[in-house]
Amino acid sequence: YSFCTLLGKKNKMPPAVFLNVAEKPSVAKEIAKTLGGNGSVSRPGMSQYNQVYEFRMNVQRHEVRMVVTSVTGHLMGVDFPPETKDWRSYVTDKLFDCPVRKTVADDKKRVEDNLRREARQATHLVCWLDCDREGENISFEVIQVCKAANPNLEVLRAKFSSLTARDLNRAVQTLGVPDEKSSLAVDARQEIDLRIGAVFTRFQTLLLRERFSQMPRVISYGPCQFPTLGFVVSRYWEREGFSPEKFWSIKLTHTQPATNTTVNFKWSRDRLFDHPTAMILYEQCVENPTVTVVKVLRKPKSKWRPVPLATVELQKLASRHLRFSSEKTMKLAEELYQETLLSYPRTETDRFNITDEELMTLVKVHEGDGILGGYARSLVQNDGYCRPRVGRNDDQAHPPIHPTKGGGHLSGDKRALYELVARHFLACVSKDATADEVIVTATCGGETFTTQGQTVTARNYLDVYIYERWHDSTIPNYQEGDSFTPTRLVLDESQTTPPQLLTETDLIATMDRFGIGTDATIAQHIKTIKDREYVTVEGMVFTPTKLGLALVQAYDEMGFASLALPRMRAAMEADLVCIVRGTATKQQVIDKHVAEYRQIYRQAILKTGLLLSAVGRWYAPNQSTGRTINESFSTCGRCRRPMKLLETADDSRTVFCQTCTLSLPMPKGTLTPNPHICPLCQFQVLNVTGASSKVHHICPYCYSNPPKTIGDVEATLSVMRCFQCSHAACPLATARTQVWKCPNPGCGEPMEVIKKRDGNGFFIGCRGYKNQCPHSVMLPSNIELSVSNEGCPVHPGAKKVTMQFKHGIHPAEWMMYCDSHFMLTTCVWCENRLDQGISVKGLTTGRQGQQHFSQRGHVALGGGGGGGPGAGGGGKGSVLTFFGSQRQQNTAAPPPSMTNTQQPGNAGQGPTCQCNEVCTVKTSRSEQNPGRDFYSCSKCRYFKWCDEYVAPDAAAAGKKCNCSLQCDIRISQSENNKGRKYYKCPKRQGACDYFEWVDGPATWRPQQQQQQQPPQGSSGFVRASDMQ
């Protein structure tokens, strides 16, 4: 990377300030110590764990002021928005699509502040994060924080493999740029794991904890941890389902009297599972017992030294020889790396790309070691060095794991792991062990037998690599043609043995072979299945718990064995590599794998009975013990079957569903069923009569599981009664959802959503009505209404409401302000687009009222005190109306969203509505269609865009639909026939199915007819979806 343009010409500008950010405080300290030497000065950072170091140095012949600090791993986390936190009220399926946020964690805020402060004074940002995918991702988290504080920062990347002076100096002089594609691959993995893990964890936990006893608090699922569990369960099932099978083999032994050496010959057939056949062959040998040597082969043999050490192999060796878990191994290796004793411990590379001289330098660091020093000196002095073998993998980021400094001062587990790495490295640069091997082939009764012996001629690497054995095995000096009588000749009976349960070494190797996890994450996945109580570990052997067995068996019986198999995760890991290579985008990979798991989840919802049945073989259902008061007391909202009313020994009561194994606690008081069904959870409501004979209502489920997303009140309750619920559609829910505080002077009471007495809609009323406050907002009828968490920027403290209209009932022009589901989120005190839809009553004039509504257009303000356009008398009866019945009294400016205009030059050119009148032309001022003209009739609710209207021609004048009405000419918006004109019934409601292309049937494509014909009952308001 060239700094000519970044640093400027020499002596022309002050020294650049490089903000260097490491992944851990210990790494930052070592970088400052190595690069700054005695000139490095430290000072406290804004985070007590992340100090700041300063020094000056030359970078590419330019003087630079270096500022070194650190983070502590990932700075940010990926999570869902707060409204998704309630597992019961939030629809689980929506987690596949809802937005995710990547934000700085609360416990990292001080680290963020530290970075921002230092970034403001810097000219360049140098990322010294670990050189792997996770490190690249953390780099971009640091970049995001620092760039927010100083957008002019130049961003650079340091690539290093160890904390030696040689590596660090080379890294600072060869700075590059961060790898965004590797970071995006991590972002994709994090989002996929979050979505899939959250959905299936909630699904399992909510379904199983309510129905079975002794379940853990959270029954988690992860797309990596579950295949890892699957390997353990699969081996367990193999062992449990194993059936031993007998086999027979011929054992031939010869003892030479002169040397008293006993040799065991191996039968060439090894073993037979058919006893009669084995008996016939054995009898042939017994009848002809002379053994004749037919071949003696002597040849040199080599035992290869190991390839250089990668992360997965380190974990396997530490598990096998040191009895360390993979988690412990990586923790110790990370500590040794931070102490500059080892190279970076997370690498897939098993080949050295450095020179022999550099390798010999690494050998010499062990010459002073009390245990390894003698062997290291022999390699240097006795020509024992040999270039290491070349492995198959090279991640182009880090070399194999090797010592960088002597570790003679270490002790305990650190010394054990360091010595394992050091012995492996020294073995890599040694020569292979050699031996002379003899293979003897002999026959007896027509059957062939072999034996072999060897004499080790040079141990070489075996002298230091104590983890492998290779010994002499002496046999007599047989010659071709020699004959002898066997000392022992028997037909041995044995049986097959079951496979052993997986050890941690076996599990690591299996995960690596099938691509589950990476060298950096395998240890974490193994730790997760142990922490989640899916497996137990005794003596490094993994045994699945009954929870692990139950889950894997349940998904297998549901037809989703793939969840516990490695194929899906391995495919995802391969797609992440495609992101790094640039052959796939982050969103493509996310969409592909989320869609795959979404399909499985939706099928699983339909098969919950199989899941419950399978888990029920391992766990007992929740038992609500006690006296049964009523066998059929109320109706369960899940299975629609009767629930029992039970009384326990402590006089508390529960309602219990035998089918769902669901038990719900009840309050004190006399309980009687109410015919009303809760609209939230479909459970039958109960009446509760207290000691004072007052009656209130509860939903059995909502009582102990209050919904958190209806209103402000429910979110704070531990138990909820119906009078505390603000659900708008329930007549028993008398709590109100607050929208704003009343703006009338001297009032300030809450404005709440209230259901109309006739049940046909809602209005917003002031709780101050008892004090004669007349303020209310009338809303359209026949709508669904909910209060949004979004606030109004014009009226501080006011919340917007979401209204869902019904197509065909409400005016068509209202629909153009809605989304595709006919939903409009707006502030009712700002909204001025709904003709005759919203009216604000009882808003008294005065300084406060004028202040709040000065930005609202064309309104009629009635009431005392104030003058101006539209002002009238009568404080209590004052009305602020939108385009309503008082339009003739409204002298304010016309609405900004629609403006009435004159008819076009020829009135006959406009369309005729259902009232047989020529339509009025209006102009849209909406955000979606600003300035677009449309035809509209407020009586029959006719609507059509002007640019979509085609005036009837002479040919069309005679076109009649099946209703004997003159046809409309419409323009297709479909992809296949965009811009093509067709005849259609002019009715907006109850239209007939008449359809014909204007350009004639010759161009009609029959195979597309069903798609091209607009749906029955379509209106003049044409959307693209009408022509699909």
Side-chain angles (χ1 to χ4, degrees), residues 175-204:
L175 296 173
V177 293
D179 182 1
E180 184 176 14
K181 292 177 181 177
S182 293
S183 176
L184 291 175
V186 175
D187 287 338
R189 177 184 57 76
Q190 289 177 341
E191 183 171 337
I192 292 171
D193 288 352
L194 174 67
R195 293 187 187 280
I196 296 170
V199 167
F200 281 91
T201 296
R202 294 188 183 190
F203 169 65
Q204 295 176 167

Short mmCIF file of all heavy atoms in Angstrom, two decimals, residues 175-204:
data_model
loop_
_atom_site.label_atom_id
_atom_site.label_comp_id
_atom_site.label_asym_id
_atom_site.label_seq_id
_atom_site.Cartn_x
_atom_site.Cartn_y
_atom_site.Cartn_z
N LEU A 175 0.97 -2.27 4.90
CA LEU A 175 -0.46 -2.16 5.21
C LEU A 175 -1.29 -2.28 3.94
O LEU A 175 -0.92 -1.78 2.88
CB LEU A 175 -0.74 -0.82 5.89
CG LEU A 175 -0.09 -0.63 7.27
CD1 LEU A 175 -0.31 0.79 7.76
CD2 LEU A 175 -0.64 -1.63 8.27
N GLY A 176 -2.43 -2.94 4.06
CA GLY A 176 -3.35 -3.10 2.94
C GLY A 176 -4.71 -2.53 3.28
O GLY A 176 -4.83 -1.57 4.04
N VAL A 177 -5.75 -3.13 2.74
CA VAL A 177 -7.12 -2.68 3.00
C VAL A 177 -7.93 -3.84 3.55
O VAL A 177 -7.63 -5.01 3.28
CB VAL A 177 -7.79 -2.14 1.70
CG1 VAL A 177 -7.11 -0.88 1.25
CG2 VAL A 177 -7.77 -3.19 0.61
N PRO A 178 -8.96 -3.57 4.33
CA PRO A 178 -9.80 -4.66 4.87
C PRO A 178 -10.53 -5.42 3.77
O PRO A 178 -10.79 -4.88 2.69
CB PRO A 178 -10.79 -3.93 5.79
CG PRO A 178 -10.18 -2.59 6.04
CD PRO A 178 -9.38 -2.26 4.82
N ASP A 179 -10.86 -6.67 4.07
CA ASP A 179 -11.55 -7.53 3.12
C ASP A 179 -13.05 -7.50 3.44
O ASP A 179 -13.52 -8.18 4.35
CB ASP A 179 -11.00 -8.96 3.22
CG ASP A 179 -11.65 -9.92 2.23
OD1 ASP A 179 -12.51 -9.46 1.45
OD2 ASP A 179 -11.30 -11.11 2.24
N GLU A 180 -13.79 -6.70 2.68
CA GLU A 180 -15.22 -6.53 2.97
C GLU A 180 -16.00 -7.81 2.70
O GLU A 180 -16.97 -8.11 3.39
CB GLU A 180 -15.78 -5.39 2.14
CG GLU A 180 -17.24 -5.08 2.45
CD GLU A 180 -17.78 -3.89 1.70
OE1 GLU A 180 -17.11 -3.46 0.73
OE2 GLU A 180 -18.86 -3.39 2.06
N LYS A 181 -15.60 -8.58 1.71
CA LYS A 181 -16.34 -9.80 1.37
C LYS A 181 -16.29 -10.82 2.51
O LYS A 181 -17.28 -11.49 2.80
CB LYS A 181 -15.81 -10.40 0.07
CG LYS A 181 -16.10 -9.54 -1.16
CD LYS A 181 -15.50 -10.12 -2.41
CE LYS A 181 -15.77 -9.23 -3.62
NZ LYS A 181 -15.12 -9.74 -4.85
N SER A 182 -15.13 -10.95 3.14
CA SER A 182 -15.04 -11.85 4.29
C SER A 182 -15.94 -11.37 5.42
O SER A 182 -16.58 -12.17 6.11
CB SER A 182 -13.59 -11.95 4.78
OG SER A 182 -12.77 -12.59 3.82
N SER A 183 -16.00 -10.06 5.61
CA SER A 183 -16.88 -9.51 6.64
C SER A 183 -18.34 -9.77 6.31
O SER A 183 -19.14 -10.12 7.20
CB SER A 183 -16.63 -8.01 6.78
OG SER A 183 -17.53 -7.43 7.71
N LEU A 184 -18.72 -9.63 5.05
CA LEU A 184 -20.11 -9.88 4.65
C LEU A 184 -20.47 -11.34 4.85
O LEU A 184 -21.62 -11.67 5.17
CB LEU A 184 -20.30 -9.48 3.19
CG LEU A 184 -20.25 -7.98 2.90
CD1 LEU A 184 -20.34 -7.73 1.39
CD2 LEU A 184 -21.37 -7.24 3.62
N ALA A 185 -19.51 -12.25 4.66
CA ALA A 185 -19.78 -13.67 4.90
C ALA A 185 -20.13 -13.91 6.37
O ALA A 185 -21.03 -14.69 6.69
CB ALA A 185 -18.57 -14.50 4.49
N VAL A 186 -19.43 -13.24 7.27
CA VAL A 186 -19.75 -13.36 8.70
C VAL A 186 -21.10 -12.75 8.99
O VAL A 186 -21.90 -13.31 9.76
CB VAL A 186 -18.64 -12.71 9.54
CG1 VAL A 186 -19.01 -12.74 11.02
CG2 VAL A 186 -17.31 -13.41 9.32
N ASP A 187 -21.39 -11.59 8.40
CA ASP A 187 -22.72 -10.98 8.58
C ASP A 187 -23.83 -11.92 8.14
O ASP A 187 -24.87 -12.05 8.81
CB ASP A 187 -22.82 -9.68 7.79
CG ASP A 187 -22.02 -8.55 8.41
OD1 ASP A 187 -21.74 -8.62 9.62
OD2 ASP A 187 -21.67 -7.59 7.69
N ALA A 188 -23.62 -12.59 7.01
CA ALA A 188 -24.63 -13.53 6.50
C ALA A 188 -24.80 -14.69 7.48
O ALA A 188 -25.93 -15.08 7.80
CB ALA A 188 -24.22 -14.05 5.13
N ARG A 189 -23.69 -15.25 7.96
CA ARG A 189 -23.79 -16.37 8.90
C ARG A 189 -24.49 -15.94 10.18
O ARG A 189 -25.34 -16.66 10.72
CB ARG A 189 -22.40 -16.90 9.22
CG ARG A 189 -22.41 -18.02 10.26
CD ARG A 189 -21.01 -18.46 10.64
NE ARG A 189 -20.19 -17.38 11.12
CZ ARG A 189 -20.29 -16.83 12.34
NH1 ARG A 189 -21.22 -17.28 13.19
NH2 ARG A 189 -19.49 -15.87 12.72
N GLN A 190 -24.15 -14.76 10.70
CA GLN A 190 -24.78 -14.29 11.93
C GLN A 190 -26.28 -14.12 11.76
O GLN A 190 -27.06 -14.52 12.63
CB GLN A 190 -24.15 -12.96 12.35
CG GLN A 190 -22.73 -13.07 12.86
CD GLN A 190 -22.13 -11.71 13.19
OE1 GLN A 190 -22.61 -10.67 12.74
NE2 GLN A 190 -21.06 -11.71 13.97
N GLU A 191 -26.71 -13.54 10.64
CA GLU A 191 -28.14 -13.32 10.44
C GLU A 191 -28.88 -14.63 10.23
O GLU A 191 -29.98 -14.82 10.77
CB GLU A 191 -28.35 -12.39 9.24
CG GLU A 191 -29.82 -12.06 9.02
CD GLU A 191 -30.04 -10.98 7.98
OE1 GLU A 191 -29.10 -10.19 7.72
OE2 GLU A 191 -31.14 -10.94 7.39
N ILE A 192 -28.30 -15.54 9.46
CA ILE A 192 -28.95 -16.84 9.25
C ILE A 192 -29.08 -17.58 10.57
O ILE A 192 -30.15 -18.11 10.90
CB ILE A 192 -28.16 -17.67 8.22
CG1 ILE A 192 -28.25 -17.03 6.83
CG2 ILE A 192 -28.68 -19.10 8.17
CD1 ILE A 192 -27.32 -17.67 5.81
N ASP A 193 -28.00 -17.63 11.34
CA ASP A 193 -28.04 -18.34 12.62
C ASP A 193 -29.03 -17.70 13.58
O ASP A 193 -29.72 -18.40 14.32
CB ASP A 193 -26.64 -18.37 13.24
CG ASP A 193 -25.68 -19.30 12.52
OD1 ASP A 193 -26.15 -20.04 11.62
OD2 ASP A 193 -24.47 -19.30 12.83
N LEU A 194 -29.09 -16.37 13.56
CA LEU A 194 -30.03 -15.68 14.45
C LEU A 194 -31.47 -16.02 14.09
O LEU A 194 -32.27 -16.38 14.96
CB LEU A 194 -29.81 -14.17 14.37
CG LEU A 194 -30.82 -13.30 15.13
CD1 LEU A 194 -30.69 -13.52 16.63
CD2 LEU A 194 -30.64 -11.82 14.79
N ARG A 195 -31.82 -15.90 12.83
CA ARG A 195 -33.20 -16.15 12.41
C ARG A 195 -33.60 -17.59 12.65
O ARG A 195 -34.64 -17.88 13.25
CB ARG A 195 -33.38 -15.78 10.93
CG ARG A 195 -33.24 -14.29 10.63
CD ARG A 195 -33.59 -13.99 9.19
NE ARG A 195 -33.32 -12.61 8.82
CZ ARG A 195 -34.13 -11.59 9.10
NH1 ARG A 195 -35.25 -11.82 9.75
NH2 ARG A 195 -33.82 -10.36 8.72
N ILE A 196 -32.79 -18.51 12.19
CA ILE A 196 -33.14 -19.93 12.31
C ILE A 196 -33.13 -20.35 13.77
O ILE A 196 -34.05 -21.04 14.24
CB ILE A 196 -32.16 -20.77 11.48
CG1 ILE A 196 -32.30 -20.44 10.00
CG2 ILE A 196 -32.39 -22.26 11.72
CD1 ILE A 196 -31.21 -21.03 9.14
N GLY A 197 -32.11 -19.94 14.50
CA GLY A 197 -32.02 -20.32 15.91
C GLY A 197 -33.18 -19.77 16.71
O GLY A 197 -33.76 -20.49 17.54
N ALA A 198 -33.56 -18.52 16.48
CA ALA A 198 -34.66 -17.91 17.24
C ALA A 198 -35.98 -18.60 16.94
O ALA A 198 -36.77 -18.89 17.85
CB ALA A 198 -34.74 -16.42 16.92
N VAL A 199 -36.24 -18.87 15.67
CA VAL A 199 -37.52 -19.48 15.29
C VAL A 199 -37.67 -20.87 15.91
O VAL A 199 -38.68 -21.17 16.57
CB VAL A 199 -37.65 -19.55 13.76
CG1 VAL A 199 -38.81 -20.46 13.36
CG2 VAL A 199 -37.85 -18.17 13.17
N PHE A 200 -36.69 -21.73 15.72
CA PHE A 200 -36.83 -23.10 16.20
C PHE A 200 -36.66 -23.19 17.71
O PHE A 200 -37.25 -24.07 18.34
CB PHE A 200 -35.83 -24.01 15.48
CG PHE A 200 -36.27 -24.39 14.09
CD1 PHE A 200 -35.91 -23.63 13.01
CD2 PHE A 200 -37.07 -25.50 13.88
CE1 PHE A 200 -36.32 -23.96 11.72
CE2 PHE A 200 -37.49 -25.85 12.61
CZ PHE A 200 -37.12 -25.08 11.52
N THR A 201 -35.90 -22.30 18.31
CA THR A 201 -35.79 -22.30 19.78
C THR A 201 -37.13 -21.92 20.40
O THR A 201 -37.59 -22.57 21.35
CB THR A 201 -34.70 -21.31 20.23
OG1 THR A 201 -33.43 -21.76 19.74
CG2 THR A 201 -34.64 -21.23 21.75
N ARG A 202 -37.78 -20.90 19.87
CA ARG A 202 -39.09 -20.52 20.40
C ARG A 202 -40.11 -21.62 20.15
O ARG A 202 -40.94 -21.92 21.02
CB ARG A 202 -39.55 -19.21 19.78
CG ARG A 202 -38.69 -18.01 20.16
CD ARG A 202 -39.29 -16.70 19.69
NE ARG A 202 -38.42 -15.57 20.00
CZ ARG A 202 -38.76 -14.30 19.88
NH1 ARG A 202 -39.98 -14.00 19.44
NH2 ARG A 202 -37.91 -13.34 20.19
N PHE A 203 -40.06 -22.20 18.98
CA PHE A 203 -41.00 -23.28 18.63
C PHE A 203 -40.87 -24.43 19.61
O PHE A 203 -41.86 -24.91 20.17
CB PHE A 203 -40.72 -23.72 17.20
CG PHE A 203 -41.42 -25.00 16.81
CD1 PHE A 203 -42.80 -25.06 16.74
CD2 PHE A 203 -40.70 -26.14 16.50
CE1 PHE A 203 -43.45 -26.23 16.37
CE2 PHE A 203 -41.33 -27.31 16.13
CZ PHE A 203 -42.71 -27.35 16.07
N GLN A 204 -39.64 -24.89 19.84
CA GLN A 204 -39.42 -26.02 20.75
C GLN A 204 -39.77 -25.67 22.19
O GLN A 204 -40.45 -26.43 22.89
CB GLN A 204 -37.95 -26.46 20.68
CG GLN A 204 -37.52 -27.01 19.35
CD GLN A 204 -36.04 -27.34 19.32
OE1 GLN A 204 -35.57 -28.01 18.40
NE2 GLN A 204 -35.28 -26.86 20.28
#
